[in-house]
């Protein structure tokens, strides 16, 4: 896939039609010329070097490639990069500021919400989207929201704890009673 | 996995999109949510010459009830728009029940109702709810719009009745003449897997009497199974007594055409269908009793 990306992006050849797209990635506008069949996951990883977005199953099952598209979680292996033209994309690299982790990231650290870490970026972005919509989720709400993201290590227990930890912290930061 | 090469068009009006389809002579494919199409492109089950992305066409993302209670669902209404809808819970309970069971939560942010019906997967949840509810698809082409009954729209696995230069712009689902009741149940091994069996039941109740009953099945045959006559024959003009529920469940289960596979034996799947019909109807009967 890397070679295909390179073939597509770096030297598509004169007879290969490309399209210029501008995508806001983690707040920064990126303009690239790409072949329409390039998948968003591969633009992010190979084209923009944002390798925090993982490609797991490549078949829309596992959710490791989850990113936020205009704030909502999507599987970036199942969207063409050209479709992101004019839209906002947030990857795991956009979650933390220079000095501070996002509360969801902190939760995964505090509650041991990862083992191998492969599913973690997708899990965290899906969790962030959940907490924006529902700041006070139950355990069931968290399990439901993450049911499109597979983890083969943890058994999910600590992932759920991490998200609930983050929810509590975010509510406290927003001045609500936990 | 990579799709084969295609030309990509992103029109900003329906007229423009239809013109592209018309010019393509059948080599173009509409891209809406892409949650079935993109995987098929990647597997190269589909290799259209042109992909017509309709996501930039305004006015297709809304769903609403019109004055007589008919539900309209635009071509870009995502599954999750219906999952979080404040509009459909009372008027179209069968759809409301199915919304949170379609695929998985991430796929639901992107995939569309109309796209799912067009995809005509025998496992598709929405096509089953449409068949049970008497829904129609509105197709728009160079010569204007036409309404197609969903039972004439879904022709077979992955085959619909659209002409090559038509776009399914909207789904239309009629209201109940009395009180709408319904449910949707699906058995899946894990979230997002293909269904072992699913059942959509839609009732139009006049008081405690069934005025019209609708039912469709997914996952238990090579197509969406229309069990409207079976359930309506058992329930029309009757109340939801345990005996009538049992008869309806038996009649519907007889319509299933399940095959034994790794998700279960044919007998098991038929049993699930019967159980689901019975469970949906019993839940409705109990909620009626509580309300009375």
């Amino acid at each position: 896939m890397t070679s295909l990306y390179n073939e597509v992006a770096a030297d598509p050849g004169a007879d290969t039609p490309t399209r210029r797209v501008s995508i806001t990635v983690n707040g920064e506008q990126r303009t690239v010329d790409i072949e329409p069949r390039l998948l968003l996951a591969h633009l992010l990883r190979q084209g923009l070097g944002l390798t925090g977005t993982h490609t797991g199953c490549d078949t829309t099952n596992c959710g490791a490639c989850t990113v936020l598209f205009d704030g909502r979680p999507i599987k970036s292996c199942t969207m063409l990069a050209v479709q992101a033209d004019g839209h906002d994309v947030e990857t795991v690299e956009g979650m933390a500021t220079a000095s501070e982790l996002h509360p969801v990231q902190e939760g995964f650290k505090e509650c041991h919400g990862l083992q191998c870490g492969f599913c973690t970026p997708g899990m965290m972005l899906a969790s962030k989207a959940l907490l924006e919509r529902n700041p006070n989720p139950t355990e069931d709400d968290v399990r439901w929201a993450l049911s499109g993201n597979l983890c083969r290590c943890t058994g999910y227990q600590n992932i759920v704890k991490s998200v609930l930890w983050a929810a509590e912290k975010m509510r406290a930061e927003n001045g609500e009673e936990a | 996995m990579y799709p084969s090469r295609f030309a990509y068009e992103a029109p900003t009006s329906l007229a423009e999109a239809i013109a592209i389809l018309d010019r393509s002579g059948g080599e173009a494919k509409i891209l809406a949510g892409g949650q079935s199409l993109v995987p098929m492109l990647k597997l190269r089950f589909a290799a259209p010459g042109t992909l017509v992305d309709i996501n930039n066409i305004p006015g297709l993302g809304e769903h609403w009830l019109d004055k007589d209670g008919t539900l309209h669902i635009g071509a870009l209404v995502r599954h999750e728009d219906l999952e979080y809808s404040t509009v459909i819970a009372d008027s179209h309970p069968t759809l409301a029940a199915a919304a949170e069971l379609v695929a998985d939560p991430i796929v639901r942010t992107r995939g569309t109702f109309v796209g799912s019906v067009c995809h005509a997967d025998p496992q598709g949840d929405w096509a089953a709810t449409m068949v049970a509810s008497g829904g129609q698809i509105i197709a728009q082409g160079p010569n204007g719009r036409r309404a197609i009954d969903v039972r004439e729209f879904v022709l077979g696995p992955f085959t619909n009745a659209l002409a090559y230069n038509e776009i399914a712009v909207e789904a239309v689902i009629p209201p109940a003449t009395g009180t709408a009741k319904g449910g949707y149940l699906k058995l899946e091994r894990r979230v997002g897997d293909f269904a072992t069996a699913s059942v959509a039941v839609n009732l139009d109740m006049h008081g405690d009497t069934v005025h019209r009953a609708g039912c469709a099945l997914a996952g238990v045959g090579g197509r969406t199974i229309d069990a409207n006559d079976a359930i309506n024959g058992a329930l029309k003009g009757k109340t939801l007594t345990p005996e009538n529920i049992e008869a309806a469940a038996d009649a519907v289960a007889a319509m299933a055409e399940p095959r034994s596979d790794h998700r279960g034996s044919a007998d098991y799947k038929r049993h699930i269908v019967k159980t689901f019909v019975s469970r949906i109807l019993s839940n409705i009967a109990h909620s009626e009793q509580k309300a009375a």
Side-chain angles (χ1 to χ4, degrees):
Chain A
M1 272 174 274
T2 305
S3 61
L4 178 60
Y5 180 82
N6 290 340
E7 190 187 307
V8 169
D11 184 22
D15 57 339
T16 306
T18 59
R19 197 173 172 101
R20 175 155 298 181
V21 297
S22 282
I23 307 170
T24 305
V25 181
N26 300 328
E28 193 183 330
Q29 185 164 324
R30 312 290 292 259
T31 300
V32 284
D33 292 311
I34 50 173
E35 224 195 297
R37 61 181 176 148
L38 182 71
L39 300 165
L40 180 58
H42 297 134
L43 172 66
L44 294 169
R45 287 181 56 82
Q46 275 97 31
L48 304 179
L50 297 170
T51 53
T53 300
H54 293 163
T55 48
C57 69
D58 205 9
T59 55
T60 331
N61 281 288
C62 79
C65 66
T66 300
V67 300
L68 301 186
F69 182 82
D70 294 336
R72 297 300 294 151
I74 58 126
K75 297 187 179 182
S76 63
C77 78
T78 311
M79 183 184 278
L80 303 171
V82 282
Q83 291 186 274
D85 190 19
H87 292 272
D88 274 313
V89 173
E90 182 181 341
T91 70
V92 68
E93 288 89 346
M95 286 185 83
T97 61
S99 59
E100 207 176 352
L101 291 177
H102 187 278
V104 169
Q105 293 174 306
E106 227 180 315
F108 274 70
K109 183 172 167 231
E110 288 298 321
C111 300
H112 195 55
L114 63 147
Q115 287 176 29
C116 87
F118 196 83
C119 71
T120 312
M123 287 285 180
M124 293 197 303
L125 287 160
S127 302
K128 181 174 184 241
L130 165 70
L131 297 180
E132 275 162 15
R133 186 164 270 193
N134 178 3
N136 195 7
T138 63
E139 181 182 332
D140 275 355
D141 293 336
V142 174
R143 289 185 183 277
W144 188 251
L146 297 182
S147 58
N149 297 76
L150 301 182
C151 172
R152 301 290 78 165
C153 304
T154 63
Y156 302 98
Q157 199 64 28
N158 286 354
I159 293 176
V160 174
K161 279 186 197 163
S162 304
V163 179
L164 292 171
W165 187 97
E168 198 175 326
K169 167 143 192 188
M170 287 167 75
R171 287 198 303 275
E173 280 176 356
N174 292 333
E176 292 173 30
E177 285 180 32
Chain B
M1 297 186 297
Y2 254 84
S4 45
R5 290 210 166 102
F6 51 79
Y8 173 81
E9 302 277 358
T12 53
S13 74
L14 273 176
E16 201 186 331
I18 291 164
I20 296 165
L21 291 178
D22 202 38
R23 277 201 305 274
S24 76
E27 283 305 311
K29 185 93 184 134
I30 297 283
L31 173 63
Q35 300 302 289
S36 298
L37 179 58
V38 173
M40 287 182 86
L41 293 171
K42 289 166 71 176
L43 292 165
R44 301 201 180 191
F45 289 151
T50 302
L51 217 50
V52 185
D53 182 353
I54 60 168
N55 284 280
N56 299 309
I57 300 176
L60 299 177
E62 306 299 321
H63 71 282
W64 72 96
L65 295 176
D66 66 20
K67 240 185 272 171
D68 72 0
T70 301
L71 174 62
H72 299 254
I73 300 175
L76 289 176
V77 172
R78 317 283 170 182
H79 307 311
E80 76 161 10
D81 296 333
L82 298 172
E83 183 181 3
Y84 296 104
S85 172
T86 53
V87 175
I88 65 170
D90 293 331
S91 68
H92 293 81
T94 308
L95 271 71
E100 61 174 22
L101 297 177
V102 176
D104 71 48
I106 317 265
V107 169
R108 286 199 293 276
T109 68
R110 203 60 206 154
T112 64
F113 179 97
V114 173
S116 166
V117 177
C118 288
H119 186 54
D121 189 321
Q123 307 265 359
D125 300 299
W126 288 130
T129 65
M130 284 280 279
V131 170
S133 312
Q136 295 180 317
I137 292 289
I138 308 296
Q140 186 171 337
N143 302 318
R145 291 187 170 207
R146 61 180 178 128
I148 310 166
D149 185 303
V150 70
R151 288 171 299 180
E152 274 117 47
F153 182 81
V154 177
L155 298 178
F158 312 109
T159 311
N160 65 45
L162 289 174
Y164 72 90
N165 54 7
E166 282 182 317
I167 298 178
V169 291
E170 199 176 297
V172 176
I173 300 107
T177 59
T179 308
K181 295 285 175 183
Y184 189 81
L185 288 174
K186 169 156 91 167
L187 179 68
E188 49 188 2
R189 296 178 303 174
R190 60 170 175 76
V191 167
D193 188 25
F194 288 109
T196 305
S198 2
V199 174
V201 171
N202 185 60
L203 300 184
D204 183 350
M205 301 291 291
H206 287 190
D208 60 359
T209 304
V210 177
H211 180 67
R212 180 205 169 259
C215 180
L217 312 176
V220 286
R223 59 198 159 79
T224 305
I225 289 178
D226 176 357
N228 280 304
D229 291 344
I231 197 169
N232 204 39
L235 291 179
K236 187 177 172 63
K238 297 182 182 164
T239 56
L240 295 175
T241 62
E243 297 73 28
N244 292 341
I245 289 174
E246 171 92 11
D250 280 333
V252 171
M255 298 294 296
E257 300 165 11
R259 282 169 51 166
S260 297
D261 62 16
H262 55 291
R263 293 187 176 86
S265 69
D267 285 347
Y268 171 70
K269 291 179 186 181
R270 193 183 301 281
H271 183 73
I272 294 295
V273 169
K274 182 181 170 178
T275 303
F276 278 179
V277 174
S278 172
R279 194 174 290 170
I280 293 169
L281 292 173
S282 300
N283 285 342
I284 293 169
H286 289 146
S287 68
E288 296 277 283
Q289 273 170 6
K290 268 187 211 157

